[in-house]
Amino acid sequence: MAADCIFCKIIGKEIPSEFIYEDDEMIAIRDINPKAPVHLLIIPRKHIRSINDLEAVDEALVGRMMTVAKGLAVKEKTDKSGYRVFFNVEKGGGQEVFHLHLHLVGGFDRG
Ligand code: AMP
Ligand code: ZN
């Protein structure tokens, strides 16, 4: 756990947050400032600063984050209408929280 990392504190339950998904490697929460009807964050328990800091050992983890995102899209009923998954990388890429997280943004036109 990294000091003063808000996502490490959420994972460690120092800051209360509802986990809409969790397993031994990652959690998912709703973004506190949603940009769409569905805006989830898939966050590995391991503190990795950004995509820039990924190592070969993290490849399976990042792959699983995508599979978890796919499952959550189904659960949130945005799989058919569509959604975006993305990482912001460092300040110029729009990253504000420096603990790796995958955004899942969708929920438009769900009918
Ligand atoms: P990024 O700009 O890619 O670093 O995204 C960070 C995201 O985390 C933003 O969309 C914030 O709204 C979101 N966020 C920050 N603090 C919290 C929190 N306590 N709970 C849920 N989402 C948060
Ligand atoms: Zn962290």
Side-chain angles (χ1 to χ4, degrees), residues 1-9 11 43-49 97-100:
M1 170 161 167
D4 295 328
C5 170
I6 189 166
F7 286 172
C8 280
K9 285 180 179 165
I11 289 160
I43 310 171
R45 292 183 189 275
K46 179 180 177 184
H47 181 90
I48 300 168
R49 178 184 164 92
V97 177
F98 295 95
H99 178 134
L100 190 72

PDB file of all heavy atoms in Angstrom, residues 1-9 11 43-49 97-100, ligand 2:
ATOM      1  N   MET A   1       0.836  -1.202   0.000  1.00  0.00           N
ATOM      2  CA  MET A   1       0.000   0.000   0.000  1.00  0.00           C
ATOM      3  C   MET A   1       0.870   1.251   0.000  1.00  0.00           C
ATOM      4  O   MET A   1       1.833   1.356   0.744  1.00  0.00           O
ATOM      5  CB  MET A   1      -0.890  -0.019   1.251  1.00  0.00           C
ATOM      6  CG  MET A   1      -1.614   1.285   1.456  1.00  0.00           C
ATOM      7  SD  MET A   1      -3.030   1.117   2.536  1.00  0.00           S
ATOM      8  CE  MET A   1      -3.357   2.839   2.845  1.00  0.00           C
ATOM      9  N   ALA A   2       0.492   2.191  -0.849  1.00  0.00           N
ATOM     10  CA  ALA A   2       1.246   3.436  -0.942  1.00  0.00           C
ATOM     11  C   ALA A   2       0.634   4.476  -0.014  1.00  0.00           C
ATOM     12  O   ALA A   2      -0.589   4.552   0.117  1.00  0.00           O
ATOM     13  CB  ALA A   2       1.230   3.939  -2.377  1.00  0.00           C
ATOM     14  N   ALA A   3       1.484   5.250   0.625  1.00  0.00           N
ATOM     15  CA  ALA A   3       0.995   6.301   1.524  1.00  0.00           C
ATOM     16  C   ALA A   3       0.238   7.345   0.716  1.00  0.00           C
ATOM     17  O   ALA A   3       0.598   7.662  -0.408  1.00  0.00           O
ATOM     18  CB  ALA A   3       2.176   6.939   2.244  1.00  0.00           C
ATOM     19  N   ASP A   4      -0.834   7.844   1.319  1.00  0.00           N
ATOM     20  CA  ASP A   4      -1.620   8.926   0.699  1.00  0.00           C
ATOM     21  C   ASP A   4      -2.189   8.576  -0.673  1.00  0.00           C
ATOM     22  O   ASP A   4      -2.390   9.458  -1.495  1.00  0.00           O
ATOM     23  CB  ASP A   4      -0.796  10.212   0.599  1.00  0.00           C
ATOM     24  CG  ASP A   4      -0.463  10.752   1.980  1.00  0.00           C
ATOM     25  OD1 ASP A   4      -1.277  10.559   2.885  1.00  0.00           O
ATOM     26  OD2 ASP A   4       0.621  11.341   2.128  1.00  0.00           O
ATOM     27  N   CYS A   5      -2.443   7.296  -0.901  1.00  0.00           N
ATOM     28  CA  CYS A   5      -3.095   6.898  -2.151  1.00  0.00           C
ATOM     29  C   CYS A   5      -4.558   6.615  -1.842  1.00  0.00           C
ATOM     30  O   CYS A   5      -4.871   5.706  -1.060  1.00  0.00           O
ATOM     31  CB  CYS A   5      -2.423   5.667  -2.756  1.00  0.00           C
ATOM     32  SG  CYS A   5      -3.358   4.987  -4.135  1.00  0.00           S
ATOM     33  N   ILE A   6      -5.446   7.392  -2.446  1.00  0.00           N
ATOM     34  CA  ILE A   6      -6.870   7.269  -2.128  1.00  0.00           C
ATOM     35  C   ILE A   6      -7.415   5.885  -2.498  1.00  0.00           C
ATOM     36  O   ILE A   6      -8.240   5.328  -1.762  1.00  0.00           O
ATOM     37  CB  ILE A   6      -7.681   8.409  -2.801  1.00  0.00           C
ATOM     38  CG1 ILE A   6      -9.122   8.417  -2.310  1.00  0.00           C
ATOM     39  CG2 ILE A   6      -7.634   8.337  -4.294  1.00  0.00           C
ATOM     40  CD1 ILE A   6      -9.873   9.675  -2.655  1.00  0.00           C
ATOM     41  N   PHE A   7      -6.937   5.308  -3.588  1.00  0.00           N
ATOM     42  CA  PHE A   7      -7.461   3.987  -3.969  1.00  0.00           C
ATOM     43  C   PHE A   7      -6.908   2.896  -3.044  1.00  0.00           C
ATOM     44  O   PHE A   7      -7.631   1.949  -2.722  1.00  0.00           O
ATOM     45  CB  PHE A   7      -7.185   3.694  -5.445  1.00  0.00           C
ATOM     46  CG  PHE A   7      -8.067   4.483  -6.394  1.00  0.00           C
ATOM     47  CD1 PHE A   7      -7.832   4.455  -7.762  1.00  0.00           C
ATOM     48  CD2 PHE A   7      -9.140   5.249  -5.933  1.00  0.00           C
ATOM     49  CE1 PHE A   7      -8.643   5.189  -8.645  1.00  0.00           C
ATOM     50  CE2 PHE A   7      -9.954   5.981  -6.795  1.00  0.00           C
ATOM     51  CZ  PHE A   7      -9.698   5.947  -8.164  1.00  0.00           C
ATOM     52  N   CYS A   8      -5.667   3.016  -2.593  1.00  0.00           N
ATOM     53  CA  CYS A   8      -5.171   2.064  -1.582  1.00  0.00           C
ATOM     54  C   CYS A   8      -6.009   2.167  -0.313  1.00  0.00           C
ATOM     55  O   CYS A   8      -6.307   1.153   0.329  1.00  0.00           O
ATOM     56  CB  CYS A   8      -3.698   2.325  -1.267  1.00  0.00           C
ATOM     57  SG  CYS A   8      -2.544   1.638  -2.474  1.00  0.00           S
ATOM     58  N   LYS A   9      -6.409   3.388   0.045  1.00  0.00           N
ATOM     59  CA  LYS A   9      -7.220   3.570   1.257  1.00  0.00           C
ATOM     60  C   LYS A   9      -8.617   2.982   1.075  1.00  0.00           C
ATOM     61  O   LYS A   9      -9.183   2.412   2.014  1.00  0.00           O
ATOM     62  CB  LYS A   9      -7.309   5.057   1.615  1.00  0.00           C
ATOM     63  CG  LYS A   9      -6.019   5.557   2.222  1.00  0.00           C
ATOM     64  CD  LYS A   9      -6.082   7.018   2.586  1.00  0.00           C
ATOM     65  CE  LYS A   9      -4.738   7.431   3.207  1.00  0.00           C
ATOM     66  NZ  LYS A   9      -4.591   8.876   3.266  1.00  0.00           N
ATOM     67  N   ILE A  11      -9.315   0.419  -0.948  1.00  0.00           N
ATOM     68  CA  ILE A  11      -9.088  -1.039  -0.937  1.00  0.00           C
ATOM     69  C   ILE A  11      -8.869  -1.528   0.492  1.00  0.00           C
ATOM     70  O   ILE A  11      -9.377  -2.580   0.877  1.00  0.00           O
ATOM     71  CB  ILE A  11      -7.889  -1.392  -1.850  1.00  0.00           C
ATOM     72  CG1 ILE A  11      -8.291  -1.186  -3.320  1.00  0.00           C
ATOM     73  CG2 ILE A  11      -7.391  -2.821  -1.612  1.00  0.00           C
ATOM     74  CD1 ILE A  11      -7.127  -1.036  -4.276  1.00  0.00           C
ATOM     75  N   ILE A  43     -10.081  -1.507 -10.278  1.00  0.00           N
ATOM     76  CA  ILE A  43      -8.839  -1.083  -9.619  1.00  0.00           C
ATOM     77  C   ILE A  43      -8.106  -2.305  -9.052  1.00  0.00           C
ATOM     78  O   ILE A  43      -8.659  -3.018  -8.204  1.00  0.00           O
ATOM     79  CB  ILE A  43      -9.165  -0.116  -8.451  1.00  0.00           C
ATOM     80  CG1 ILE A  43     -10.106   1.010  -8.905  1.00  0.00           C
ATOM     81  CG2 ILE A  43      -7.889   0.431  -7.841  1.00  0.00           C
ATOM     82  CD1 ILE A  43     -10.633   1.881  -7.759  1.00  0.00           C
ATOM     83  N   PRO A  44      -6.869  -2.567  -9.492  1.00  0.00           N
ATOM     84  CA  PRO A  44      -6.125  -3.690  -8.911  1.00  0.00           C
ATOM     85  C   PRO A  44      -5.758  -3.399  -7.455  1.00  0.00           C
ATOM     86  O   PRO A  44      -5.518  -2.241  -7.084  1.00  0.00           O
ATOM     87  CB  PRO A  44      -4.875  -3.788  -9.784  1.00  0.00           C
ATOM     88  CG  PRO A  44      -4.701  -2.434 -10.367  1.00  0.00           C
ATOM     89  CD  PRO A  44      -6.079  -1.825 -10.482  1.00  0.00           C
ATOM     90  N   ARG A  45      -5.740  -4.434  -6.634  1.00  0.00           N
ATOM     91  CA  ARG A  45      -5.326  -4.246  -5.235  1.00  0.00           C
ATOM     92  C   ARG A  45      -3.855  -3.834  -5.159  1.00  0.00           C
ATOM     93  O   ARG A  45      -3.451  -3.095  -4.262  1.00  0.00           O
ATOM     94  CB  ARG A  45      -5.552  -5.543  -4.441  1.00  0.00           C
ATOM     95  CG  ARG A  45      -7.032  -5.879  -4.270  1.00  0.00           C
ATOM     96  CD  ARG A  45      -7.210  -7.124  -3.410  1.00  0.00           C
ATOM     97  NE  ARG A  45      -8.593  -7.573  -3.415  1.00  0.00           N
ATOM     98  CZ  ARG A  45      -9.548  -7.101  -2.605  1.00  0.00           C
ATOM     99  NH1 ARG A  45      -9.252  -6.204  -1.694  1.00  0.00           N
ATOM    100  NH2 ARG A  45     -10.779  -7.565  -2.690  1.00  0.00           N
ATOM    101  N   LYS A  46      -3.074  -4.314  -6.102  1.00  0.00           N
ATOM    102  CA  LYS A  46      -1.649  -3.970  -6.138  1.00  0.00           C
ATOM    103  C   LYS A  46      -1.483  -2.502  -6.537  1.00  0.00           C
ATOM    104  O   LYS A  46      -2.090  -2.062  -7.521  1.00  0.00           O
ATOM    105  CB  LYS A  46      -0.945  -4.874  -7.166  1.00  0.00           C
ATOM    106  CG  LYS A  46       0.533  -4.608  -7.334  1.00  0.00           C
ATOM    107  CD  LYS A  46       1.129  -5.562  -8.382  1.00  0.00           C
ATOM    108  CE  LYS A  46       2.599  -5.269  -8.624  1.00  0.00           C
ATOM    109  NZ  LYS A  46       3.160  -6.137  -9.703  1.00  0.00           N
ATOM    110  N   HIS A  47      -0.687  -1.754  -5.806  1.00  0.00           N
ATOM    111  CA  HIS A  47      -0.459  -0.354  -6.152  1.00  0.00           C
ATOM    112  C   HIS A  47       0.532  -0.275  -7.307  1.00  0.00           C
ATOM    113  O   HIS A  47       1.721  -0.533  -7.140  1.00  0.00           O
ATOM    114  CB  HIS A  47       0.065   0.456  -4.959  1.00  0.00           C
ATOM    115  CG  HIS A  47       0.280   1.899  -5.307  1.00  0.00           C
ATOM    116  ND1 HIS A  47      -0.702   2.848  -5.168  1.00  0.00           N
ATOM    117  CD2 HIS A  47       1.337   2.536  -5.846  1.00  0.00           C
ATOM    118  CE1 HIS A  47      -0.248   4.015  -5.600  1.00  0.00           C
ATOM    119  NE2 HIS A  47       0.994   3.847  -6.004  1.00  0.00           N
ATOM    120  N   ILE A  48      -0.010   0.084  -8.463  1.00  0.00           N
ATOM    121  CA  ILE A  48       0.809   0.345  -9.656  1.00  0.00           C
ATOM    122  C   ILE A  48       0.461   1.775 -10.051  1.00  0.00           C
ATOM    123  O   ILE A  48      -0.722   2.105 -10.166  1.00  0.00           O
ATOM    124  CB  ILE A  48       0.437  -0.625 -10.801  1.00  0.00           C
ATOM    125  CG1 ILE A  48       0.650  -2.086 -10.389  1.00  0.00           C
ATOM    126  CG2 ILE A  48       1.234  -0.297 -12.074  1.00  0.00           C
ATOM    127  CD1 ILE A  48       0.038  -3.116 -11.338  1.00  0.00           C
ATOM    128  N   ARG A  49       1.446   2.630 -10.255  1.00  0.00           N
ATOM    129  CA  ARG A  49       1.152   4.051 -10.487  1.00  0.00           C
ATOM    130  C   ARG A  49       0.342   4.288 -11.770  1.00  0.00           C
ATOM    131  O   ARG A  49      -0.678   4.965 -11.761  1.00  0.00           O
ATOM    132  CB  ARG A  49       2.472   4.839 -10.538  1.00  0.00           C
ATOM    133  CG  ARG A  49       2.261   6.325 -10.837  1.00  0.00           C
ATOM    134  CD  ARG A  49       3.585   7.063 -10.980  1.00  0.00           C
ATOM    135  NE  ARG A  49       3.379   8.347 -11.623  1.00  0.00           N
ATOM    136  CZ  ARG A  49       3.155   9.504 -10.970  1.00  0.00           C
ATOM    137  NH1 ARG A  49       3.125   9.531  -9.660  1.00  0.00           N
ATOM    138  NH2 ARG A  49       2.964  10.617 -11.628  1.00  0.00           N
ATOM    139  N   VAL A  97      -5.681  10.261 -10.316  1.00  0.00           N
ATOM    140  CA  VAL A  97      -5.385   9.356  -9.199  1.00  0.00           C
ATOM    141  C   VAL A  97      -4.301   8.402  -9.690  1.00  0.00           C
ATOM    142  O   VAL A  97      -4.520   7.642 -10.654  1.00  0.00           O
ATOM    143  CB  VAL A  97      -6.639   8.581  -8.747  1.00  0.00           C
ATOM    144  CG1 VAL A  97      -6.282   7.599  -7.640  1.00  0.00           C
ATOM    145  CG2 VAL A  97      -7.732   9.549  -8.285  1.00  0.00           C
ATOM    146  N   PHE A  98      -3.155   8.442  -9.011  1.00  0.00           N
ATOM    147  CA  PHE A  98      -1.989   7.725  -9.518  1.00  0.00           C
ATOM    148  C   PHE A  98      -1.885   6.324  -8.904  1.00  0.00           C
ATOM    149  O   PHE A  98      -0.892   5.963  -8.268  1.00  0.00           O
ATOM    150  CB  PHE A  98      -0.729   8.583  -9.339  1.00  0.00           C
ATOM    151  CG  PHE A  98      -0.826   9.821 -10.199  1.00  0.00           C
ATOM    152  CD1 PHE A  98      -1.298  11.009  -9.670  1.00  0.00           C
ATOM    153  CD2 PHE A  98      -0.536   9.755 -11.549  1.00  0.00           C
ATOM    154  CE1 PHE A  98      -1.447  12.138 -10.474  1.00  0.00           C
ATOM    155  CE2 PHE A  98      -0.676  10.866 -12.367  1.00  0.00           C
ATOM    156  CZ  PHE A  98      -1.142  12.065 -11.833  1.00  0.00           C
ATOM    157  N   HIS A  99      -2.956   5.576  -9.095  1.00  0.00           N
ATOM    158  CA  HIS A  99      -3.052   4.139  -8.809  1.00  0.00           C
ATOM    159  C   HIS A  99      -3.846   3.597  -9.990  1.00  0.00           C
ATOM    160  O   HIS A  99      -4.993   4.027 -10.212  1.00  0.00           O
ATOM    161  CB  HIS A  99      -3.769   3.922  -7.457  1.00  0.00           C
ATOM    162  CG  HIS A  99      -3.985   2.490  -7.073  1.00  0.00           C
ATOM    163  ND1 HIS A  99      -3.702   2.002  -5.794  1.00  0.00           N
ATOM    164  CD2 HIS A  99      -4.482   1.439  -7.762  1.00  0.00           C
ATOM    165  CE1 HIS A  99      -4.012   0.714  -5.743  1.00  0.00           C
ATOM    166  NE2 HIS A  99      -4.498   0.357  -6.926  1.00  0.00           N
ATOM    167  N   LEU A 100      -3.246   2.685 -10.711  1.00  0.00           N
ATOM    168  CA  LEU A 100      -3.840   2.181 -11.956  1.00  0.00           C
ATOM    169  C   LEU A 100      -5.333   1.894 -11.810  1.00  0.00           C
ATOM    170  O   LEU A 100      -5.765   1.299 -10.822  1.00  0.00           O
ATOM    171  CB  LEU A 100      -3.113   0.899 -12.357  1.00  0.00           C
ATOM    172  CG  LEU A 100      -3.415   0.339 -13.752  1.00  0.00           C
ATOM    173  CD1 LEU A 100      -2.771   1.210 -14.813  1.00  0.00           C
ATOM    174  CD2 LEU A 100      -2.926  -1.096 -13.873  1.00  0.00           C
TER     175      LEU A 100
HETATM  176 ZN    ZN B   2      -2.552   2.917  -4.360  1.00  0.00          ZN
END
